[in-house]
Amino acid sequence: MSAMLSKTVKGRIIKEHRVHDKDTGSAAVQIAILSRQIEDLTKHLKKNAKDNHSRRGLLKMVSQRRKLLAYMATHEPKEHEKLTKKLGLKK
């Protein structure tokens, strides 16, 4: 799933959203990475409307991000609020 982003782009996203120095897998980082992948795949699907295999992957990513956001909303409400504003996501 994460093969879409280059190492440098992914590293930049992790640095921007991590909680501590060695954090690579917190909910905030995962949501930020998924959001970037979703953006890229959405652009791809606008050009390639009949690419149903990629569309299925997109739906899977959106679902995963929604689950992670729900987790953050219950366990870390303040961080959830900051992250949704920072990424421009709807509630």
Side-chain angles (χ1 to χ4, degrees):
M1 204 175 3
S2 61
M4 299 169 48
L5 296 177
S6 67
K7 263 188 178 179
T8 53
V9 172
K10 196 170 183 179
R12 215 174 308 127
I13 293 169
I14 291 171
K15 278 183 188 172
E16 195 176 326
H17 296 279
R18 66 185 174 192
V19 180
H20 54 81
D21 288 344
K22 297 193 180 214
D23 177 21
T24 57
S26 68
V29 170
Q30 289 182 57
I31 291 167
I33 290 171
L34 280 169
S35 294
R36 177 60 191 269
Q37 289 176 330
I38 289 168
E39 280 178 31
D40 292 348
L41 200 49
T42 303
K43 289 177 190 171
H44 167 78
L45 286 170
K46 284 182 180 171
K47 293 177 190 169
N48 304 285
K50 294 184 179 184
D51 187 356
N52 289 315
H53 287 73
S54 294
R55 189 174 314 281
R56 182 173 186 271
L58 174 68
L59 292 173
K60 207 171 178 183
M61 284 183 219
V62 170
S63 174
Q64 181 66 32
R65 182 177 69 178
R66 188 172 41 240
K67 289 175 190 174
L68 286 165
L69 283 166
Y71 170 83
M72 271 191 88
T74 56
H75 292 85
E76 304 164 1
K78 289 178 184 172
E79 287 79 10
H80 174 263
E81 187 78 26
K82 287 180 198 170
L83 187 65
T84 51
K85 283 181 182 174
K86 192 172 188 179
L87 295 174
L89 300 174
K90 297 176 187 171
K91 279 195 170 183

